[in-house]
Amino acid sequence: MFECSIRLVNMVLQIFTAVADIVALVYLIMVIYTPCVLGSEYYISVMLYVYFLPVITIQTVVFVLCRLFCFTVGLDPIAMTFNLASGIVCISTSMTMLVAMFDHCGNEYQYMFYVSGGCGLLAGILHLVNALVCNIYMPPEEWTYTKPSKRARNRLERARLTSIL
């Protein structure tokens, strides 16, 4: 019962993360066509965000779809690593864009920059929370896949002990 509730929390976190990623991506696409970006006033910080956010969003949506149709996916080393890396990248790129926007000229497109950056920051935090949930509540049998060298050492040790006896 406890494992089922943790998997449900994990799935809900992934869905919220995917929604935040999609909203950030939609607003980022709208930001690309603003005069500030087309005029290269805020080009580098936005393009850094453009480089990473679509890939993370696509992977998150695919991960959520796999999570919805294959219930066993989610609390595993791959999910933990993906969420950790995606969280760090989302936070760093969205913060870069948000910090660059503090000196924004204040035109009618300013809200797009803040919505995209804010949703990306929220998605990054949710990715990190989900990585933490995966790390804490990962089933013990999944931990054996994180360190195959330890398994190999145990097999070698057992083989050595049986050959001595």
Side-chain angles (χ1 to χ4, degrees):
M1 181 67 178
F2 180 70
E3 171 131 357
C4 182
S5 62
I6 293 301
R7 289 197 179 275
L8 185 65
V9 167
N10 177 261
M11 184 170 59
V12 169
L13 274 171
Q14 279 293 353
I15 291 170
F16 283 151
T17 306
V19 169
D21 275 338
I22 290 169
V23 170
L25 183 61
V26 166
Y27 276 92
L28 181 62
I29 291 169
M30 293 186 333
V31 160
I32 292 173
Y33 298 105
T34 61
C36 298
V37 175
L38 291 175
S40 297
E41 185 178 349
Y42 292 104
Y43 188 76
I44 293 174
S45 61
V46 173
M47 286 304 134
L48 177 68
Y49 200 38
V50 166
Y51 186 71
F52 290 108
L53 187 63
V55 175
I56 292 172
T57 302
I58 290 169
Q59 289 176 341
T60 303
V61 168
V62 168
F63 195 65
V64 166
L65 291 174
C66 287
R67 187 79 173 98
L68 290 174
F69 296 114
C70 306
F71 198 67
T72 60
V73 176
L75 294 174
D76 53 16
I78 294 172
M80 183 178 65
T81 305
F82 166 72
N83 282 311
L84 181 65
S86 296
I88 291 170
V89 169
C90 274
I91 288 174
S92 61
T93 56
S94 64
M95 285 301 292
T96 302
M97 190 168 110
L98 285 172
V99 167
M101 293 306 112
F102 283 137
D103 294 330
H104 195 271
C105 56
N107 62 16
E108 66 270 14
Y109 303 107
Q110 183 177 8
Y111 78 95
M112 291 181 198
F113 289 96
Y114 290 117
V115 170
S116 180
C119 285
L121 184 62
L122 175 66
I125 292 169
L126 288 174
H127 275 294
L128 291 179
V129 168
N130 209 351
L132 185 66
V133 167
C134 287
N135 188 26
I136 293 172
Y137 297 108
M138 188 184 310
E141 61 270 8
E142 292 288 341
W143 275 109
T144 59
Y145 297 116
T146 58
K147 295 186 177 183
S149 61
K150 186 175 182 181
R151 286 187 313 159
R153 281 188 301 219
N154 288 340
R155 261 187 274 138
L156 288 173
E157 184 65 27
R158 278 185 297 216
R160 188 181 67 80
L161 289 174
T162 56
S163 68
I164 292 174
L165 298 174

